[in-house]
Amino acid sequence: MPRGGARPGAGRKPKERAPGEAAPAKKPRKAAAPAAGFAPAGEKLPGSPESWPFGTEAPAAPPAPEDTADLTPLDYFLRLMRDPLKDERVRFQAAAQALPYMHPKKGEAGKKAEKQETAEKVASKFGARPAPLKIVGGRG
């Protein structure tokens, strides 16, 4: 049995009009007005000095993206974390992602390494003892 979605006959019913009444005219959309104090791209504000170069030339090309081919993921996260222009949440997430690489957990050694360390501790307790000192000159 289908659920959800549009159903026939659902929704608001259209308003009934008297016979011969025309449908209401749609309102024309307004063009977006430029923000106060800013002229459209490539134009000057009225009353601005002629010596201003703004608006007389095409906008400058954006800077070329830097080469990140040799960048490691850790370097990328650290760069994001240290960028003061980034949003605080983005910087926090980058720091959280870089954290395991900078400060590994204490128990991050493998099981084999952990067993080896335990075995070395036990062996030091019950291992071979050094030989007793020899008596010098036959005196004892």
Side-chain angles (χ1 to χ4, degrees), residues 108-133:
E108 290 254 337
K111 290 183 178 181
K112 289 183 180 179
E114 194 173 314
K115 283 184 179 180
Q116 181 66 30
E117 286 179 22
T118 307
E120 287 174 4
K121 285 181 185 177
V122 171
S124 66
K125 291 181 184 176
F126 301 107
R129 300 281 180 193
L133 295 175

Side-chain angles (χ1 to χ4, degrees), residues 56-89:
T56 58
E57 301 172 354
E66 64 182 90
D67 183 26
T68 58
D70 59 341
L71 201 62
T72 65
L74 177 61
D75 294 335
Y76 179 74
F77 284 132
L78 292 177
R79 181 184 294 173
L80 277 179
M81 182 183 77
R82 294 175 180 148
D83 188 359
L85 302 177
K86 294 286 182 193
D87 184 36
E88 187 69 23
R89 285 181 276 172

